[in-house]
Amino acid sequence: MVDRVRRALAKVTGQALGPYQSAVVRIGFAGTWLFFLLREFPNRHQLYGPDGPWSWGLAERLVASNDAFTVLLWSSSAFWFELVYAVALLASALLVLGWRTRATSVVFMVGVLSLQNRSVFMGDGGDNVIHLMAVYLVLTRCAQVWSLDARRARRRGSASAGAAGPVLWGVLGAVLAYGAVTGRFGAGWLAAFAALWAGPALWWAADRHERSGAGPAGADGEPAAGRAGEGRAFLDVLANLLHNAGMLVIMAEVCLIYATAGWYKIQGSRWQDGTALYYPLRLDYFAPWPELSDVLAGSGVLVMLLSYGTVAVQVAFPFTLFNRRVKNVLLALMMLEHAGIAVLLGLPFFSMAMIAADAVFLPTGFLVWAGARVSRFSRRPSPGPLTGPGAGPSPGPRTPGPRTPAGPEPVERDGAVGAGGAGS
């Protein structure tokens, strides 16, 4: 038992688990929010801007009462709204690409919270999921694979290499200082953003000292590089713990969503008699394809099977996590269900958000296979794993040997302390 506990602790603190799952969640939610902002760009003033039914004064009163966070209330000018909307778009695109993810994940969260808290009655269930996941993603090292940060780490030895990271850190620091001086932040938000801003500076300093080579020995007789390496290892452990805790919270959140949805459905009389699906299919608002909705609603057996099946899958899913095969089958059914909701009921962004949340449970083997199918079009083969913080692919010739199946990409060593994904 002691050995098992030790191995579990070593695994939790020694590596950021689920690198492919966290990358898919990052790409899924950032892409969903990006597509939503682009789709609603002509309507942005009515949704979140000065022309919306939820006026600036009402939003200010509500935020003052519930301590929600939104930078849109820093100013009522049209220019400020356009700037925040543009930054939210840019942060979403950069998070999809995995560029300087430690910073862009925070800016992405600020954009989501700012827009949604400005007009709280404009969202649906999918917006609520994006709202929560934007906060959770800040804790994760979600750029270990399939990101520009991971590519920079392979090519240059560190994901924090280059001048863009310090410049971005300085700009965000200036915004933080302005908000602190003018009293725009509450005490809790100010402490959280200050920690998120100071964490990358500490990591950058430890990373640079570790890569600078051995220096003069300290009072304890240990070389400077050794002391810096210990500091870097300590930060790495903290980053891994935060990442693994964040991934656990994301998985628990998905299970909670499905469990509560399923059990509430059981209590409804329309779900009990198997007719619940019929009613939204007969609403014009949820009928982008009226002919298809009429065909489906006209079959009582099909409506009954889909209604009962939806309840059964949602209630059963949390209990199947320890049986891989059953879990994968139900996961595929839920994703197909959300795809059907997107087509039949005209709710594409809700479905995209839920599919992105479901992706946290996708098996690693499938994600590696899918990534290999995409990367086969690349002209250059993937380099070997990093063997040290400043090591790159070995330039020497390789000795021929037996072929082995492709494994996961190297885990990016440039983590974060309370600030989210890998990268600067």
Side-chain angles (χ1 to χ4, degrees):
M1 180 64 68
V2 173
D3 290 340
R4 290 180 179 179
V5 172
R6 287 177 178 174
R7 287 195 296 268
L9 288 175
K11 188 173 184 179
V12 171
T13 60
Q15 65 183 108
L17 303 175
Y20 291 96
Q21 287 80 2
S22 62
V24 171
V25 171
R26 181 198 89 229
I27 296 170
F29 279 104
T32 300
W33 187 242
L34 175 63
F35 293 149
F36 174 78
L37 294 181
L38 292 174
R39 166 63 178 81
E40 300 297 341
F41 188 81
N43 309 312
R44 64 191 184 280
H45 294 133
Q46 289 75 27
L47 287 175
Y48 307 112
D51 299 334
W54 191 249
S55 68
W56 194 87
L58 289 174
E60 188 178 35
R61 291 171 57 186
L62 180 61
V63 169
S65 65
N66 61 13
D67 294 325
F69 175 79
T70 172
V71 299
L72 280 179
L73 296 183
W74 287 13
S75 173
S76 59
S77 68
F79 172 77
W80 179 247
F81 169 75
E82 298 292 353
L83 178 62
V84 173
Y85 200 94
V87 170
L89 276 170
L90 180 61
S92 302
L94 293 178
L95 191 60
V96 170
L97 298 175
W99 183 83
R100 306 289 175 178
T101 317
R102 183 184 302 150
T104 54
S105 63
V106 178
V107 179
F108 173 76
M109 178 190 71
V110 170
V112 171
L113 298 183
S114 296
L115 292 173
Q116 291 189 357
N117 289 336
R118 167 60 179 84
S119 300
V120 294
F121 297 112
M122 293 299 176
D124 57 17
D127 294 292
N128 293 336
V129 175
I130 294 175
H131 191 107
L132 294 171
M133 296 301 174
V135 178
Y136 302 152
L137 279 175
V138 173
L139 301 176
T140 64
R141 305 177 73 173
C142 54
Q144 299 175 88
V145 296
W146 300 339
S147 68
L148 297 179
D149 287 345
R151 187 179 69 171
R152 189 184 310 110
R154 291 193 300 266
R155 292 182 175 182
R156 306 179 67 175
S158 173
S160 62
V167 171
L168 183 59
W169 180 81
V171 172
L172 296 179
V175 176
L176 176 64
Y178 170 78
V181 171
T182 57
R184 304 290 186 180
F185 295 112
W189 286 108
L190 179 60
F193 284 119
L196 294 175
W197 181 74
L202 183 62
W203 189 275
W204 184 87
D207 185 56
R208 289 302 180 273
H209 280 86
E210 184 183 72
R211 297 174 62 200
S212 62
D220 55 359
E222 185 180 1
R227 294 195 302 274
E230 291 180 357
R232 170 63 181 269
F234 175 73
L235 296 178
D236 224 356
V237 169
L238 288 181
N240 291 336
L241 286 174
L242 284 173
H243 167 89
N244 295 329
M247 293 295 290
L248 181 62
V249 170
I250 291 175
M251 291 187 288
E253 186 70 44
V254 175
C255 291
L256 183 63
I257 290 173
Y258 283 118
T260 53
W263 286 107
Y264 273 115
K265 285 182 175 66
I266 288 178
Q267 302 175 42
S269 59
R270 295 294 177 263
W271 290 100
Q272 291 175 6
D273 60 27
T275 62
L277 185 61
Y278 171 83
Y279 298 97
L281 291 174
R282 305 305 300 174
L283 294 176
D284 294 337
Y285 186 80
F286 295 109
W289 311 98
E291 295 81 6
L292 183 59
S293 298
D294 290 341
V295 171
L296 182 59
S299 174
V301 175
L302 191 56
V303 168
M304 182 187 66
L305 291 177
L306 290 176
S307 298
Y308 285 153
T310 298
V311 175
V313 169
Q314 291 181 349
V315 172
F317 179 74
F319 300 100
T320 64
L321 297 183
F322 299 101
N323 189 312
R324 182 179 303 177
R325 293 182 178 179
V326 179
K327 182 263 295 182
N328 291 339
V329 171
L330 292 187
L331 187 63
L333 291 177
M334 289 191 303
M335 289 184 170
L336 290 175
E337 174 191 349
H338 290 303
I341 291 174
V343 175
L344 291 174
L345 302 183
L347 298 172
F349 298 108
F350 167 78
S351 298
M352 290 173 63
M354 291 307 304
I355 291 175
D358 295 341
V360 73
F361 293 107
L362 286 174
T364 301
F366 170 77
L367 294 176
V368 173
W369 173 84
R373 301 285 77 76
V374 175
S375 63
R376 68 179 180 178
F377 297 104
S378 177
R379 290 177 295 179
R380 296 182 59 184
S382 176
L386 297 177
T387 58
S394 175
R398 295 185 178 182
T399 303
R403 298 182 62 183
T404 57
E409 297 183 23
V411 175
E412 185 175 347
R413 290 175 54 87
D414 192 16
V417 180
S424 179

